[in-house]
Structure formats: C-alpha cells, structure tokens
C-alpha cells in the first residue's frame, strides 16, 4: 500500500508517519508512507493523509502555494475516489470556509463552516486541550471495533475551532466540551478527525488501521 502523507509545512509529519506504519502492522498489510507534496506520488497513492496544525488561514495559504498540490489532491480524491484522511486543521480545510481571522475559502469537499469553540460553561478554556471520549452520530467503517461513549476510548484534542457541517449527514462523531464538538466528519471517500489520531494511543491506531482497510 502506498500512503501519501502531505507535507505543506503545516503538520507533525513524523508522528503521523510512525502512527501510520504502526497501523499497517496492526492490519498485517505491507506498505510505505511517502512524505511530500509531489503530484505524481499523490496520483498513484492508495491512501492520502493531510495533517494540519495552526491557523486555518495559514494552512490554507500554505496548501495553495505548493505548485500543483491542490489540483493533484482534487483529482486523486474527488476524481479517482482515493480514500482521504484530514487531521486537525487538515480536517477543517475540507469545509466551505473558515471563520478564523476573517473569512477564508476552504476546499469545499464537506459543506460547512469552521467556527470558534463556544463552550456553554465559562470555566472551560479555549483552546480545547486534552482527552475526550467520542459519541457516534452516524455509523462509519473507521469506527469499527472502537469502544465509544462515556466509558470508551479517549482521543487527544488540541484546537480552538471546529467544522460544523451543513445538516447532520456528514457528522460522524462528536466530543463533549461545554456542548458538542465535531470530532469526525466524512463524505464519500473523505474522512476527517478534529483530534490527533497519531497522539490518541489505542483509539488512534485502531482508527488509522480501519482507514487503511476501508474500501469505500
């Protein structure tokens, strides 16, 4: 299996690469992780992963200035149907637009806006940083075999914004932080996690392994 881990100057690539290799071992598959932004690598990849850290606008601008990257991603994912995983801001970039430091157009793969967290409890600080369980809102293969709910496995979050999809069909799981927080979104061959699976220990490895086995 050929996994393209996109390097556009906005993500913790080495941690993500190690987690993906561990997930390959978990599934018994042979494969390799290619870090970079070569359109030819993306075009021939079996799976594509887009990490992201920092502000939405900065990540969006970084993505846009890499020659040929956005077109290669669009063709591979929406044209050829390659399974895609966005992580943290990489998930947020799937939205129609981000509302951090003004309005910035996203990729538009999952209709919705990226908005600042607004916990109902004023004692809860933003950014949201720490471990949370997940509640499933819509079944998806990436959650197969993962213990969810209040007594389930925990995912690691570090963010101030989250993607609110239009309608409920593209929202797969939420976390609780003074109200529901979008934890996983998805549509067609695209999936995104607001949390960091590469830092989420057992839950993260299981989710990545499911992503690598997923055949949409």
């Amino acid at each position: 299996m050929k996994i393209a881990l996109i390097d556009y100057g906005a993500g913790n690539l080495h941690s993500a690469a190690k987690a993906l290799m561990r997930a390959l071992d978990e599934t018994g598959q042979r494969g390799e992780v290619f870090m970079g932004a070569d359109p030819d690598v993306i075009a021939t990849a079996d799976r594509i992963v887009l990490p992201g850290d920092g502000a939405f606008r900065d990540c969006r601008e970084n993505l846009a200035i890499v020659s040929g990257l956005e077109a290669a991603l669009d063709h591979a994912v929406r044209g050829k149907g390659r399974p895609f995983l966005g992580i943290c801001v990489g998930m947020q970039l799937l939205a129609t637009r981000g509302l951090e430091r003004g309005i910035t157009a996203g990729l538009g793969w999952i209709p919705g806006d990226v908005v600042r967290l607004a916990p109902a409890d004023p004692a809860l600080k933003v950014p949201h940083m720490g471990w949370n369980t997940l509640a499933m809102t819509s079944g998806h293969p990436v959650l197969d075999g993962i213990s969810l709910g209040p007594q389930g496995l925990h995912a690691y979050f570090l963010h101030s914004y989250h993607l609110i999809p239009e309608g409920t069909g593209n929202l797969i799981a939420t976390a609780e932080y003074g109200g529901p927080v979008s934890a996983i979104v998805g549509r067609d061959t695209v999936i995104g996690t607001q949390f960091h699976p590469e830092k989420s220990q057992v839950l993260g490895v299981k989710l990545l392994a499911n992503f690598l086995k997923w055949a949409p």
Side-chain angles (χ1 to χ4, degrees):
M1 177 178 291
K2 184 176 182 179
I3 305 167
L5 179 59
I6 307 302
D7 182 3
Y8 63 116
N12 189 343
L13 294 178
H14 293 288
S15 292
K18 287 174 64 176
L20 286 164
M21 291 304 297
R22 183 177 174 190
L24 280 169
D25 289 341
E26 289 283 323
T27 63
Q29 298 181 80
R30 298 180 62 184
E32 189 171 355
V33 178
F34 293 83
M35 292 188 290
D38 186 339
D40 292 334
V41 172
I42 295 168
T44 57
D46 301 296
R47 296 287 188 278
I48 299 168
V49 180
L50 181 72
D53 288 319
F56 184 100
R57 175 172 289 183
D58 293 342
C59 289
R60 185 68 181 93
E61 290 175 351
N62 284 359
L63 194 68
I65 62 176
V66 180
S67 179
L69 175 56
E70 195 170 329
L73 285 172
D74 190 78
H75 180 65
V77 178
R78 299 210 291 177
K80 298 168 66 177
R82 294 289 186 264
F84 172 97
L85 170 65
I87 297 173
C88 197
V89 182
M91 171 259 224
Q92 295 177 9
L93 291 173
L94 299 172
T96 307
R97 59 183 189 165
L99 305 183
E100 183 176 6
R101 296 187 351 219
I103 298 174
T104 304
L107 293 170
W109 295 358
I110 295 182
D113 288 344
V114 176
V115 304
R116 184 173 174 82
L117 295 173
D121 182 350
L124 294 175
K125 297 181 179 180
V126 176
H128 167 212
M129 178 173 64
W131 296 85
N132 291 77
T133 57
L134 306 179
M136 184 168 62
T137 60
S138 179
H140 196 282
V142 298
L143 291 175
D144 286 352
I146 296 177
S147 178
L148 303 174
Q151 304 304 315
L153 296 172
H154 286 70
Y156 180 76
F157 290 80
L158 176 56
H159 65 118
S160 299
Y161 288 75
H162 65 144
L163 196 170
I164 304 296
E166 292 181 3
T168 58
N170 297 329
L171 183 62
I172 293 168
T174 62
E176 178 65 27
Y177 192 70
V181 172
S182 298
I184 307 177
V185 299
R187 181 183 186 187
D188 302 325
T189 65
V190 172
I191 197 84
T193 65
Q194 181 58 68
F195 57 89
H196 289 267
E198 75 278 11
K199 298 179 181 178
S200 296
Q201 300 179 1
V202 175
L203 184 150
V205 172
K206 285 182 175 292
L207 184 140
L208 290 174
N210 285 340
F211 170 69
L212 296 181
K213 293 185 294 184
W214 181 33

